[in-house]
């Protein structure tokens, strides 16, 4: 139960570092309820004129109308600070398609911002958010977004030529309609084709120089793990005048902690199902043994109290840039750019991936890679100012042409065919591998605009994307990365009594988890854990929740089998 962290993935293994920002454009509402751009008062007439031109399933509809238009695009992540325009990629796409984008991002709580817009039914033209977020289904149930398949039927049949049938099938609702399209999505067929190339975002990393100074200890066992943390603290009590932090984790949130939930369970190769029945990995003896290892680390003073209270992304980034963590069970995309800068200062003072916590049999980790659900989904609002231009632009972005434009930019400007392969020009590649911020500002390629990125397509254009220190970490995850698509989207509808009850149970786990780590003894740990399990299993909705999740899992298995045949 609880939401799985889905940003996990190849997209992150590709040296993505994001520097984005947003501004807002006021919109009016026409008599038919469609939002209009006041700076483009003839939008409806242009749509009518463009609709007179014949669409074809073999030709992109965006080519029929390239007059200037600006779409508002809401990105439900407060760290997204990029703007459209002023760099090579976005300027090229606007010149080519006529489309400009005005990104809108939440200034504070993303959920609050989105809920406010939903309540006012004032959603912008495009909306991108995690596929796993409750708001997706709420927008669909509330009739706030348009079915992509119906828009394509009416305005751009080319959509069906470039959209992946497996992804469309996966996202088809019970009413036969498809409302969202994913990024960073990989089907079973993709794993057959590219599996060994796929990487995961889930890693256990250590600071290279400190780890080597300790003799490269084996940290895969409870004894070795605790021993290495203790030795690091004893030998290196300070780093550049700041106290060393032996172990770093993701922040504790209202759903739990990614590091101590999914990541640790995956490193321990704990199954999500046994004999076709879903398995609550929190009840696994090996998992509980390792949670007690972290409890012991806390008791031994190896986990400062700020791990529990102020480990937000910005605080975390600052401490990583100072090299204060000895080890981290963490998603490495979050510090790729920081690690790049550390490497440039001193290649020995970077973070490298090593074997982390393991089960007693020392099975290889089962790390989450791209699933068919992807990471985010993009939807088109019913308020959209121009339906035809919107679906045509979406089709363009998710197509191979659009993905190539977004990744590589314009031929002869940012990339060329070199040694028979389309790849960044040497100067562009050098900047990407040495200064991501400068690359974003000047060029804006390589996943800066990731909303419809197809990470499978992009493998063809990644020649030269192998610079250290990212290469070492990405390579470590290869062969350990698997698809967990069948376990996506199992939770009950959040508006139902089962969904509400499950939400309460998830929050209870989030409250219990730090208490387990701060317990004064293993006996106290056991008591707290038993209390949690007793509470949720006695919940009147517990059986119904389990049944709903099991049925959803079995449907997923069948859908994946069907998609594999396509």
């Amino acid at each position: 139960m609880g939401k799985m962290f889905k940003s996990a993935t190849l997209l992150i293994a590709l040296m993505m570092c994001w520097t984005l920002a947003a501004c807002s454009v006021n919109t009016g509402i026409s008599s038919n309820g469609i939002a209009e751009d006041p700076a483009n008062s003839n939008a409806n007439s242009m749509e009518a004129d463009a609709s007179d031109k014949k669409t074809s399933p073999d030709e992109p509809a965006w080519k029929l109308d390239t007059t200037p238009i600006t779409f508002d695009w809401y990105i439900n992540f407060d760290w997204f600070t990029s703007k459209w325009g002023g760099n090579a990629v976005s300027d090229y796409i606007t010149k080519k398609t006529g489309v400009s984008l005005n990104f809108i991002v939440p200034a504070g709580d993303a959920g609050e911002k989105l809920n406010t817009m939903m309540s006012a039914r004032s959603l912008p033209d495009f909306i991108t958010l995690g596929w796993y977020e409750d708001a997706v289904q709420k927008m669909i149930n509330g009739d706030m977004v348009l079915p992509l398949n119906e828009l394509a039927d009416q305005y751009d049949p080319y959509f069906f030529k470039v959209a992946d049938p497996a992804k469309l099938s996966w996202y088809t609702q019970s009413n036969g309609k498809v409302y969202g399209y994913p990024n960073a999505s990989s089907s079973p067929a993709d794993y057959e084709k590219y599996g060994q190339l796929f990487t995961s975002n889930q890693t256990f990393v250590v600071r290279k120089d400190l780890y080597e100074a300790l003799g490269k200890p084996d940290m895969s066992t409870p004894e070795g793990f605790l021993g290495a943390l203790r030795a690091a603290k004893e030998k290196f009590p300070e780093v550049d005048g700041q106290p060393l932090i032996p172990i770093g984790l993701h922040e504790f949130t209202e759903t739990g902690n990614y590091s101590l939930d999914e990541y640790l369970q995956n490193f321990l190769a704990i199954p999500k199902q046994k004999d076709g029945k879903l398995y609550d990995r929190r009840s696994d003896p090996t998992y509980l043994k390792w949670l007690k290892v972290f409890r012991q680390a806390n008791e031994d003073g190896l986990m400062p109290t700020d791990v529990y209270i102020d480990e937000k992304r910005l605080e975390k980034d600052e401490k990583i840039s100072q090299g204060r963590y000895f080890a981290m069970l963490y998603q490495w995309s979050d510090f790729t750019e920081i690690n790049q800068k550390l490497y440039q200062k001193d290649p020995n003072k970077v973070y490298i991936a090593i074997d982390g916590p393991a089960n007693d049999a020392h099975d290889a980790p089962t790390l989450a890679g791209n699933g068919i659900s992807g990471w985010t989904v993009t939807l088109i609002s019913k308020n959209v100012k121009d339906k035809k231009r919107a679906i045509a632009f979406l089709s363009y972005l998710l197509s191979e042409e659009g993905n190539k434009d977004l990744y590589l930019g314009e031929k002869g400007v940012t990339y060329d065919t070199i040694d028979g392969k389309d790849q960044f020009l040497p100067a562009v590649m050098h900047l990407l591998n040495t200064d991501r911020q400068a690359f974003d500002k000047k060029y804006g390629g390589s996943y800066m605009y990731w909303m419809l990125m197809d990470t499978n397509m992009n493998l063809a254009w990644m020649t030269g994307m192998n610079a250290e220190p990212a290469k070492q970490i990405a390579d470590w995850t290869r062969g350990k990365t698997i698809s967990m698509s069948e376990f996506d989207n199992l939770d009950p509808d959040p508006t139902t009594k089962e969904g509400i009850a499950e939400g309460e149970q998830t929050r209870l786990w989030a409250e219990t988890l730090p208490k387990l780590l701060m317990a004064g003894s293993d006996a106290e740990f056991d008591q707290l854990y038993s209390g949690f399990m007793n509470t949720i299993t006695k919940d009147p909705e517990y059986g119904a929740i389990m049944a709903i999740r099991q049925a959803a899992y079995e449907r997923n298995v069948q859908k994946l089998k069907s998609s594999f045949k396509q």
Side-chain angles (χ1 to χ4, degrees), residues 43 46-47 65 69 71 384-391:
M46 286 197 305
E47 181 178 356
D65 185 356
I69 187 172
F71 285 116
V384 67
K385 60 176 60 73
D386 189 321
K387 296 178 183 179
K388 183 169 186 176
R389 295 291 295 277
I391 188 63

Side-chain angles (χ1 to χ4, degrees), residues 48-64:
D49 292 341
S51 66
D52 292 337
K53 300 176 183 178
K54 187 175 181 180
T55 58
S56 165
D58 298 315
E59 286 294 328
W62 68 262
K63 292 184 177 181
L64 301 177

Side-chain angles (χ1 to χ4, degrees), residues 8 17 39 61 78 114 128 182 225 430 450:
C17 300
D78 59 7
L114 186 54
T128 294
F225 184 86
H430 176 73
W450 42 259

Side-chain angles (χ1 to χ4, degrees), residues 201 203 249-250 263 316 320 328-332 334-335:
N201 195 29
T203 50
L249 307 168
H250 277 279
Y263 287 24
K316 187 86 176 181
I320 297 173
M328 293 186 288
L329 185 56
Y330 201 64
Q331 68 168 2
W332 69 275
D334 277 11
F335 64 91

Side-chain angles (χ1 to χ4, degrees), residues 254-451:
E254 62 178 9
T255 61
N257 184 298
Y258 300 142
S259 300
L260 297 173
D261 291 327
E262 284 289 314
Y263 287 24
L264 181 57
Q265 293 161 358
N266 291 346
F267 265 83
L268 300 176
I270 297 172
K272 289 195 165 194
Q273 60 84 26
K274 291 186 175 182
D275 299 323
K277 299 296 181 183
L278 291 176
Y279 178 57
D280 187 347
R281 301 203 289 177
R282 294 174 305 191
S283 67
D284 189 89
T286 299
Y287 175 60
L288 294 175
K289 179 174 78 172
W290 269 94
L291 277 188
K292 289 180 179 178
V293 171
F294 282 89
R295 186 210 68 77
Q296 188 65 55
N298 184 75
E299 182 179 326
D300 293 347
L302 304 174
M303 293 175 61
T305 54
D306 58 6
V307 169
Y308 302 99
I309 58 177
D310 76 345
E311 286 284 272
K312 302 296 183 183
R313 175 74 178 270
L314 290 178
E315 288 88 357
K316 187 86 176 181
D317 286 352
E318 182 179 5
K319 292 171 184 174
I320 297 173
S321 66
Q322 296 168 343
R324 291 184 59 192
Y325 293 102
F326 167 63
M328 293 186 288
L329 185 56
Y330 201 64
Q331 68 168 2
W332 69 275
S333 66
D334 277 11
F335 64 91
T336 300
E337 184 179 2
I338 297 172
N339 214 28
Q340 187 182 69
K341 291 179 179 178
L342 291 173
Y343 183 82
Q344 290 166 358
K345 291 179 181 178
D346 187 339
N348 288 314
K349 292 184 178 180
V350 297
Y351 288 94
I352 60 172
I354 67 167
D355 293 343
N359 61 31
D360 291 345
H362 273 74
D363 294 320
T366 51
L367 307 177
N370 284 349
I372 196 167
S373 294
W375 166 35
T376 66
V377 289
T378 293
L379 308 96
I380 296 177
S381 165
K382 289 194 76 172
N383 296 334
V384 67
K385 60 176 60 73
D386 189 321
K387 296 178 183 179
K388 183 169 186 176
R389 295 291 295 277
I391 188 63
F393 190 61
L394 185 75
S395 296
Y396 160 72
L397 291 178
L398 63 86
S399 71
E400 183 172 349
E401 177 183 12
N403 261 263
K404 189 173 184 179
D405 289 348
L406 284 166
Y407 190 87
L408 289 178
E410 184 175 7
K411 189 167 187 178
V413 176
T414 49
Y415 84 95
D416 213 331
T417 304
I418 304 172
D419 297 329
K421 293 185 177 181
D422 290 341
Q423 55 186 290
F424 286 120
L425 294 168
V428 179
M429 178 61 71
H430 176 73
L431 191 62
L432 174 61
N433 286 333
T434 57
D435 191 336
R436 178 72 208 214
Q437 285 188 352
F439 172 89
D440 286 346
K441 185 175 182 180
K442 185 173 184 178
Y443 300 117
S446 181
Y447 298 126
M448 180 168 168
Y449 304 113
W450 42 259
M451 293 78 76

Side-chain angles (χ1 to χ4, degrees), residues 175-204:
N175 62 4
K177 300 177 182 180
V178 181
Y179 294 89
Y181 198 85
N183 72 354
S185 168
S186 296
S187 68
D190 292 326
Y191 269 83
E192 284 283 310
K193 186 175 182 180
Y194 306 110
Q196 290 303 306
L197 298 175
F198 285 168
T199 60
S200 176
N201 195 29
Q202 302 175 346
T203 50
F204 180 71

Side-chain angles (χ1 to χ4, degrees), residues 20-41:
L20 314 146
C23 52
S24 177
V25 171
N26 292 326
T27 60
I29 304 296
S30 67
S31 59
N32 62 1
I34 305 297
E36 295 179 331
D37 186 341
N40 185 20
S41 59

Side-chain angles (χ1 to χ4, degrees), residues 503-535:
E504 292 173 350
Q505 293 176 15
T506 299
R507 285 187 290 275
L508 179 60
W509 171 249
E511 294 169 4
T512 303
L513 184 57
K515 293 178 182 178
L516 294 174
L517 270 59
M518 291 186 281
S521 65
D522 284 352
E524 184 182 347
F525 177 106
D526 291 338
Q527 184 178 18
L528 287 166
Y529 177 78
S530 295
F532 164 76
M533 291 302 295
N534 286 335
T535 299

